[in-house]
Each structure stands twice: as structure tokens, then as C-alpha cells.
Amino acid sequence: MTAPTDSIQAQIGGAWWTTDKTKDYRPGRLVHTWVPYIDVVPQQLRPVGRVDPHGHAQAEAEMIPFRISQRHPPPSVPVAGLTLRDGEYAVVQKGKVRPALVIRAQPAAPPAAAGDAKWLHVASLLVAPFFGADRDGMRAGVAPDLLDQVRWLKWPQFLWDQLPVSGSSVSLLRLDRAFTVGRHQDSVSWTEHVLSANAIEFVQQQFVWLNSGVIVEGSVLQMARDEFSPLRGP
């Protein structure tokens, strides 16, 4: 699909998306991962009894809203299959598997030492999710005039794109929804698609703009925003 001329994808020079079958998770790699609905209150899964009083294979549980401002009661009965230490909770949260962009791979970690906490060395990725923008009866989508403003780089948290995978014809990258996932096959699904060097450089410039409020002087981001300024308006 050809990008509109009034988009950074058409202005960047060269391909936006490329194909590279190296099995890595470099910045710019397109993956699929589970993205939670952050506007839905998660549910605490709290064991309240065993199906078999003498066994631990099955348990009865209740689901109660997990609100951070409220007290969260511990399980009323221990269940071996759902072991929870002090301060731990089993939480059920709705979400959806979505395309996502690797923003940053894990930097080099210090060498592991005996007795280290496990979290110190767990491999991770920082990813930002894509959301389908089509209004096709299956999703609410995004209003066309708002899509135009996003394509013209009005806001730092959004980036208009056309993904090289099946789904919505137009997607929005939500840089402000970037989150950490584990770097393993049960957490992310690799694809052969990766942003070109020019494209990932642009995305990183926009990520800096989002986090610092600063657009680097002379950057591609600055030049593109200046180019689209007459379209974007005040």
C-alpha cells in the first residue's frame, strides 16, 4: 500500500518497513504481544476453597475488583497450584494481542552473582502498541479528521502508519503506552518486519519529543513538522 504524500512514510526517503529474517529484537522490530486494557479494572483471583479437601490440583476461587486504593485480602485457603507469597496477588486482566514496535532492547546487564534477586537479570523489551484506526464495523476506529492531524505529526504520542501485516489498513502507534515485556517466545511473537534505519531514527526522535518536550534542532522530525505545518494549522 502506497503511503499518502502528506505522511512521514512518504517523506522519509526509501522504504519505511523492510524485511529482515534475523531472529533478533532490535529497535524497530515489529512483534505481536498481549496488551492490557488499562481502562478496565483488573480482577483479583482469590482462592476460597479446594474442590477436593485432600488435594491441591483444583480450587474454588472468587474474582473481586483489584483496586490499588483498597485492601486486598490474602487467600483464605492455601492452594499449591496457586502459591502466593506475602504481598503477591493473582490478577485477571482483559487485553488483546496487538502488533507492537520494539522501542528498546534490554541494555547489557551486570553479571549474575549467587543470591541475586531474579528480577535483576530478567531479559526484557520496551514495546509500544499499535491500534487499528479503521472504522469498519468491527472496531470504533478513529475519525478521519483526527487521523489527518496525527499523520501531520500534531501530537508526540501518536504516529500514523500502515503495517505490513494483516488487520486494519491504518494503525496508530501509541508511544505513550510503551511498556515492558519479557524477551521470550511466550511473551512476544517475532515477525520478519523491521523499520528501516531512517524510520527507526525518526521514531526515536519522536520518543524523545514525547518524553522531554524537545524537538531536536535540524532533525528529520523538525523538518517534517515544518513541512506539514500549513496542513496542520494552529
Side-chain angles (χ1 to χ4, degrees), residues 10-201:
Q11 299 285 331
I12 199 72
W16 182 260
W17 286 104
T18 65
T19 298
D20 189 315
K21 296 187 178 182
T22 306
K23 288 293 185 75
D24 61 19
Y25 291 106
R26 74 186 75 170
R29 176 71 67 184
L30 183 66
V31 298
H32 288 88
T33 192
W34 179 80
V35 180
Y37 294 139
I38 62 172
D39 57 339
V40 176
V41 177
Q43 301 290 310
Q44 179 185 353
L45 186 65
R46 180 172 176 266
V48 295
R50 300 192 192 102
V51 175
D52 177 359
H54 305 290
H56 287 265
Q58 294 179 301
E60 295 178 343
E62 64 177 359
M63 291 176 61
I64 56 178
F66 187 80
R67 295 186 172 91
I68 201 68
S69 60
Q70 296 180 354
R71 178 180 175 272
H72 308 294
S76 59
V77 61
V79 178
L82 190 59
T83 303
L84 297 170
R85 300 181 179 89
D86 184 41
E88 292 183 338
Y89 305 95
V91 174
V92 178
Q93 188 167 13
K94 291 179 66 176
K96 186 176 181 179
V97 175
R98 298 183 184 277
L101 186 72
V102 176
I103 300 297
R104 186 186 66 238
Q106 183 185 33
D116 279 352
K118 184 178 179 180
W119 56 261
L120 188 61
H121 303 285
V122 173
S124 63
L125 301 169
L126 183 69
V127 302
F130 285 98
F131 293 81
D134 290 350
R135 287 185 163 179
D136 56 7
M138 297 178 61
R139 53 175 67 89
V142 180
D145 57 340
L146 181 58
L147 274 180
D148 288 342
Q149 293 294 324
V150 171
R151 194 169 64 254
W152 300 330
L153 306 173
K154 184 169 185 176
W155 299 285
Q157 67 268 41
F158 300 120
L159 181 62
W160 183 99
D161 207 345
Q162 295 171 310
L163 300 184
V165 292
S166 61
S168 181
S169 64
V170 173
S171 297
L172 296 189
L173 179 65
R174 287 289 304 267
L175 289 170
D176 59 330
R177 289 282 305 274
F179 66 105
T180 302
V181 297
R183 196 180 66 190
H184 53 78
Q185 63 183 10
D186 294 327
S187 182
V188 289
S189 175
W190 177 93
T191 80
E192 64 183 11
H193 306 292
V194 63
L195 289 179
S196 67
N198 287 340
I200 187 58
E201 180 182 5

Side-chain angles (χ1 to χ4, degrees), residues 205-215:
Q205 290 173 2
Q206 186 160 340
F207 198 57
V208 169
W209 177 29
L210 170 66
N211 287 288
S212 69
V214 174
I215 297 176

